[in-house]
Amino acid sequence: DTGVSQNPRHKITKRGQNVTFRCDPISEHNRLYWYRQTLGQGPEFLTYFQNEAQLEKSRLLSDRFSAERPKGSFSTLEIQRTEQGDSAMYLCASSLAKESGGLNQPQHFGDGTRLSIL
Amino acid sequence: LAKTTQPISMDSYEGQEVNITCSHNNIATNDYITWYQQFPSQGPRFIIQGYKTKVTNEVASLFIPADRKSSTLSLPRVSLSDTAVYYCLVGDYGGGFKTIFGAGTRLFVKA
């Protein structure tokens, strides 16, 4: 178990540019989540995947945001035409959901990608 | 989804036991209670999870009364390194869900 890995750890970009973040979950985990966290606040849910299917999206996920998990393994989160308000820490988490039911396991988080918009 | 209420901050001294209480009056029958710890510039780390009564692991205990409308995270003999933000979450982990983190409780441990 190497943990959830996120890259890059920091990203600085100019307003209007596109950015893409990558998340590599724990290998046997079938669920993957994206969150956004601003200073002094708890993480806010953005979206989650069960394998390669995106099952739920928050209304926070505007049409400038898109997330993919093409092969059910790693995931990418892209923000197009970045705005000042997009500056935040973007967190990825993964968990193991039992297909046959029963208690699912807690989420394991990466250390995030900190996005700064100039 | 059940909303949670926690104290904004707490202070303690090294070696003391710390109890952080979380209120979740609208908890549903199939909801579990989970606590996470977060240090600056890191992602949240799972501490403990429970459904009812008492759960204990190597780092903490979780006390849940019979009505399940609140829960208490107990950290025995805290150290300076326990200074962090602690989040209480309530949710249905049996199916699709979206996790709601509140603002958490900022614990400051002093020497």
Side-chain angles (χ1 to χ4, degrees), chain A residues 9 31 33 35 37 39-45 48 56 89 91 102-112 114, chain B residues 32 34 36 38 40-46 49 87 89 92-104 106:
Chain A
R9 289 299 314 277
R31 282 194 177 169
Y33 313 79
Y35 294 84
Q37 185 173 27
L39 194 63
Q41 301 299 315
E44 297 174 293
F45 171 83
Y48 94 94
E56 195 157 353
M89 174 79 84
L91 293 162
L103 178 62
N104 294 318
Q105 299 303 308
Q107 298 176 39
H108 295 253
F109 284 81
D111 286 334
R114 182 168 297 283
Chain B
Y32 283 76
T34 308
Y36 285 87
Q38 186 176 28
S41 299
Q42 294 186 21
R45 298 281 183 260
F46 170 79
Q49 182 180 78
Y87 296 99
L89 280 72
D92 170 14
Y93 291 84
F97 69 99
K98 50 186 178 181
T99 308
I100 298 179
F101 284 78
R106 283 158 177 75

Side-chain angles (χ1 to χ4, degrees), chain A residues 16-34:
Chain A
Q17 297 295 306
N18 300 342
V19 294
T20 300
F21 312 138
R22 176 178 170 123
C23 172
D24 288 272
I26 293 172
S27 58
E28 64 269 26
H29 284 182
N30 52 7
R31 282 194 177 169
L32 186 147
Y33 313 79
W34 285 99

Side-chain angles (χ1 to χ4, degrees), chain A residues 31-116:
Chain A
R31 282 194 177 169
L32 186 147
Y33 313 79
W34 285 99
Y35 294 84
R36 180 174 68 188
Q37 185 173 27
T38 54
L39 194 63
Q41 301 299 315
E44 297 174 293
F45 171 83
L46 292 178
T47 188
Y48 94 94
F49 293 82
Q50 173 97 5
N51 300 312
E52 66 276 8
Q54 189 173 16
L55 295 187
E56 195 157 353
K57 293 191 290 186
S58 163
R59 58 183 174 81
L60 294 174
L61 210 67
S62 75
D63 55 6
R64 296 186 297 106
F65 288 69
S66 61
E68 294 183 345
R69 194 183 184 199
K71 298 182 179 179
S73 56
F74 73 92
S75 175
T76 57
L77 178 67
E78 180 182 18
I79 308 174
Q80 295 181 329
R81 305 180 303 280
T82 52
E83 301 173 355
Q84 291 281 353
D86 296 332
S87 294
M89 174 79 84
Y90 290 84
L91 293 162
C92 175
S94 68
S95 70
L96 178 63
K98 297 180 180 179
E99 307 284 359
S100 59
L103 178 62
N104 294 318
Q105 299 303 308
Q107 298 176 39
H108 295 253
F109 284 81
D111 286 334
T113 295
R114 182 168 297 283
L115 174 64
S116 297

